[in-house]
Amino acid sequence: MSWILTLTTFLPLLGALVCLLLPREEVGLLRGVGLSVALLTFLFSLGILSGFNGQTAGFLHEVDLPWVQALGIRYHLGVDGISLWLVLLTTFLMPVVMLSSWSAIADKVREFTVAALVLETGMIGGFLALDLFLFYVFFEVMLIPMYFIIGVWGGERRLYAAIKFVLYTMVGSLLLLVAILYLYVKVHQATGTWSFAYADMQRLVLSEREQLYCFAAFALAFCIKVPLFPLHTWLPDAHVEAPTAGSVILASVLLKYGTYGLLRFALPLFPHAVAEVGPLLAALSLAGIIYGSLVAYAQRDIKKLIAYSSVAHMGIVVLGLLMLNTKAVNGAIYQMLAHGISTGALFLCVGVLYERRHTRRMEEFGGLWAQMPVFAGFFLIFTLASVGLPGLCGFVGEFLVLAGTMSAGRTAFADVPLFGKAHLYAALAATGVVLGAVYMLWMFQRVMLGPNENPKNRKLRDLTLREGMVLTPMAVMAFWLGLYPATFLRDMNPAVHRTLVAFKEKYSAGAADAEPRMLGQDKNKKEEGQPPAKQDKEEGQPPAQQPAQPPAASPPGTGATP
């Protein structure tokens, strides 16, 4: 079923082209087409689960075709347990986003629908790309639609926020492109073939200095996207000025590209750089957890408070990834999913309030539980999910990250300075969980409880049927993630284990000396004028179709267990 990945990726783009052909005045038809395409994409994405077996080595449903053959660029998509649920999170949220914008977006509806659908193609394709050039294309495709969503349909300072978002992201992505091209050249030096294939770059061994520079470029691009403290300053502005739909997409999916990129690319490609820079990134993630929590508590704008809470939650994700054990990394991925549901739902709730009152200031509200009891019930569910109440989505990921951090000192990388402080890191990260409960419950108390003293709030209507249809699926997923984590972990865990085994194998192989080499290749064995890896290829076969498997595809249990 290799076609299922292509169909899921490009169906939204096809829907965007259809919308471009429809009259601008047919607002209802445009909204209906956008919602229908998003729903169809979600239904087709469920087909990825058909026959999916997380225990299978490597990627599933692969499609690998020449794209620009002369340059070694291939159209290569595949899915494993790491990317599977992020793709499904994206396709699940887009119909919710389309439905939530039904009345909120009244101007330039055709352009908004096109931008949202093109953005969906970029997000899905980025999670599936196994060619680094193709990944970069999807990475950039996401940038322009999001710029317009913020800059056209945002608040009063929308242009400032949109330009700031683009500048930050472009700086990181340009450095990422330079590093990808450097790896591309090094793969050619080591193999004699031009290739952007993820499998080839995973086998490429560079010197420690080269790894450090390339990791810096990759990590900066992805840490801006997270965003990791102190690169986070674009996020509150983007969230506050973006329309509700834009805030949901940004928080629930786009931020995940930072942590997904770290796990998929930056960590396994440059293990020696991770060992050297890991303590710094861990310290920054802890600073983000505590700083984001304290600044969130100081906010009086509900949307800005939730935006700063994202800085704290994503700091927990980065910390989990850096612990390099299956428990913490599983927890980090799970926290990505949980954050996508709880924070996305909170932004939807803020959107409901803003449509009624056109303000997000906490002092303008109070006592809404009596006036809007159904809405208040949903708001309470998502607040407690964000806090990490057991039984809701936020608990599982945070617990696994903290437990994995506590046990990080007993991993095979205990000699790395990072893990000597694992207990301290766990303790500091736990303070972020406590602070999260403080600012979220304080916000809920200010908005929902107490007397309803503002006369403008006494005639507010409760949720409409459409708004209930938007929030109900989010509440169902919040409980599902909290009560049945095995649904997601059973496919996630083997892929995480393989990634960490590959990391250890590459780390144990040592760094290259003067010239790059491929993993498993004899350092001193190079026949003059002949590519070192030529004996592993069939004559005339494209480099991405080598029969040799990358270390990440090793069966669980081979090598040392992380």
Side-chain angles (χ1 to χ4, degrees):
M1 291 181 64
S2 59
W3 55 269
I4 193 67
L5 298 187
T6 298
L7 181 61
T8 303
T9 301
F10 291 102
L11 182 58
L13 182 60
L14 179 61
L17 295 176
V18 170
C19 289
L20 284 174
L21 299 176
L22 296 176
R24 189 189 306 270
E25 298 78 17
E26 298 292 337
V27 173
L29 179 60
L30 287 163
R31 288 173 174 155
V33 170
L35 178 59
S36 299
V37 170
L39 282 170
L40 279 175
T41 304
F42 173 61
L43 294 175
F44 279 120
S45 70
L46 295 177
I48 300 175
L49 292 172
S50 177
F52 188 92
N53 182 3
Q55 302 295 333
T56 303
F59 294 88
L60 300 176
H61 301 310
E62 279 191 79
V63 53
D64 187 6
L65 300 170
W67 183 16
V68 186
Q69 196 163 8
L71 299 178
I73 302 173
R74 302 186 67 81
Y75 173 71
H76 190 185
L77 303 179
V79 63
D80 67 353
I82 294 173
S83 55
L84 170 66
W85 297 111
L86 293 171
V87 171
L88 291 177
L89 174 68
T90 304
T91 59
F92 168 78
L93 284 170
M94 286 308 295
V96 173
V97 167
M98 290 296 191
L99 194 58
S100 72
S101 64
W102 203 270
S103 60
I105 303 296
D107 187 35
K108 297 182 176 66
V109 174
R110 183 176 70 175
E111 288 79 2
F112 173 82
T113 305
V114 170
L117 292 175
V118 172
L119 180 58
E120 184 176 11
T121 286
M123 293 187 296
I124 296 171
F127 286 132
L128 298 175
L130 296 178
D131 180 282
L132 266 72
F133 185 86
L134 182 64
F135 170 80
Y136 183 79
V137 170
F138 284 123
F139 194 76
E140 291 297 285
V141 163
M142 293 182 286
L143 178 62
I144 302 304
M146 195 65 210
Y147 167 79
F148 283 114
I149 287 174
I150 298 172
V152 175
W153 296 278
E156 293 181 0
R157 302 174 69 242
R158 57 186 179 272
L159 288 179
Y160 167 79
I163 292 171
K164 191 173 183 180
F165 164 74
V166 168
L167 289 178
Y168 269 76
T169 307
M170 283 294 293
V171 168
S173 62
L174 288 175
L175 289 173
L176 176 65
L177 177 60
V178 171
I180 290 174
L181 292 175
Y182 186 85
L183 295 177
Y184 174 66
V185 173
K186 291 298 177 178
V187 167
H188 179 260
Q189 289 182 10
T191 66
T193 59
W194 295 103
S195 173
F196 285 98
Y198 174 65
D200 289 337
M201 294 191 177
Q202 198 173 32
R203 294 173 53 231
L204 178 67
V205 180
L206 299 174
S207 68
E208 291 189 8
R209 181 181 293 272
E210 289 174 313
Q211 288 192 40
L212 187 60
Y213 288 147
C214 289
F215 178 78
F218 272 72
L220 182 62
F222 295 134
C223 287
I224 288 173
K225 208 79 171 178
V226 170
L228 189 67
F229 176 88
L231 305 170
H232 66 283
T233 57
W234 64 269
L235 181 66
D237 292 316
H239 269 316
V240 170
E241 300 304 326
T244 299
S247 294
V248 174
I249 296 172
L250 187 61
S252 298
V253 182
L254 288 187
L255 301 190
K256 310 306 179 292
Y257 264 92
T259 45
Y260 172 79
L262 287 173
L263 177 59
R264 177 69 79 202
F265 301 108
L267 298 183
L269 295 185
F270 316 108
H272 290 275
V274 174
E276 186 169 345
V277 183
L280 173 61
L281 291 181
L284 292 177
S285 67
L286 290 168
I289 292 169
I290 298 172
Y291 168 84
S293 299
L294 293 175
V295 176
Y297 183 69
Q299 300 306 311
R300 297 298 179 267
D301 183 305
I302 307 173
K303 203 173 186 183
K304 188 171 283 191
L305 181 148
I306 299 169
Y308 276 106
S309 77
S310 291
V311 176
H313 285 300
M314 296 306 290
I316 293 176
V317 175
V318 174
L319 181 66
L321 296 178
L322 291 170
M323 293 301 105
L324 300 174
N325 61 62
T326 52
K327 190 181 295 181
V329 176
N330 277 328
I333 301 172
Y334 210 92
Q335 182 67 4
M336 292 187 221
L337 303 177
H339 177 265
I341 296 297
S342 62
T343 304
L346 285 170
F347 278 124
L348 290 171
C349 289
V350 174
V352 170
L353 289 177
Y354 188 78
E355 283 191 45
R356 286 159 171 73
R357 286 291 322 278
H358 299 288
T359 181
R360 296 183 296 263
R361 303 290 299 178
M362 278 186 270
E363 59 266 25
E364 291 289 324
F365 299 103
L368 293 187
W369 189 294
Q371 188 68 33
M372 306 171 67
V374 177
F375 171 73
F378 277 111
F379 200 15
L380 179 61
I381 290 171
F382 302 132
T383 299
L384 295 177
S386 180
V387 166
L389 182 75
L392 290 168
C393 57
F395 173 75
V396 178
E398 289 180 351
F399 176 80
L400 288 175
V401 168
L402 293 176
T405 302
M406 286 292 292
S407 61
R410 297 192 294 272
T411 68
F413 300 96
D415 57 320
V416 177
L418 172 68
F419 301 118
K421 305 173 184 176
H423 288 74
L424 174 62
Y425 290 161
L428 292 174
T431 63
V433 177
V434 176
L435 291 172
V438 171
Y439 64 75
M440 290 301 298
L441 295 176
W442 172 78
M443 179 269 293
F444 184 84
Q445 185 270 332
R446 293 284 301 276
V447 175
M448 292 295 167
L449 304 179
N452 187 354
E453 297 178 343
N454 191 334
K456 295 179 181 179
N457 297 331
R458 292 172 185 164
K459 294 184 179 180
L460 295 181
R461 68 186 187 280
D462 210 340
L463 290 181
T464 64
L465 176 62
R466 178 185 59 82
E467 291 166 342
M469 292 171 63
V470 167
L471 294 178
T472 298
M474 304 293 279
V476 170
M477 289 307 302
F479 280 107
W480 194 347
L481 282 160
L483 296 173
Y484 301 103
T487 305
F488 309 92
L489 291 171
R490 63 170 170 253
D491 290 324
M492 190 187 303
N493 185 68
V496 169
H497 178 76
R498 288 191 295 269
T499 300
L500 295 178
V501 167
F503 180 98
K504 176 169 172 50
E505 289 178 351
K506 192 168 181 178
Y507 182 83
S508 301
D513 298 324
E515 296 184 7
R517 58 186 173 86
M518 305 302 283
L519 194 66
Q521 172 186 313
D522 188 346
K523 295 182 185 180
N524 303 316
K525 188 176 181 180
K526 274 192 178 181
E527 297 182 14
E528 186 175 352
Q530 182 178 355
K534 189 172 182 179
Q535 64 271 21
D536 293 331
K537 301 188 185 75
E538 295 178 11
E539 185 174 354
Q541 187 179 12
Q545 294 179 341
Q546 305 175 57
Q549 293 294 323
S554 302
T558 58
T561 302

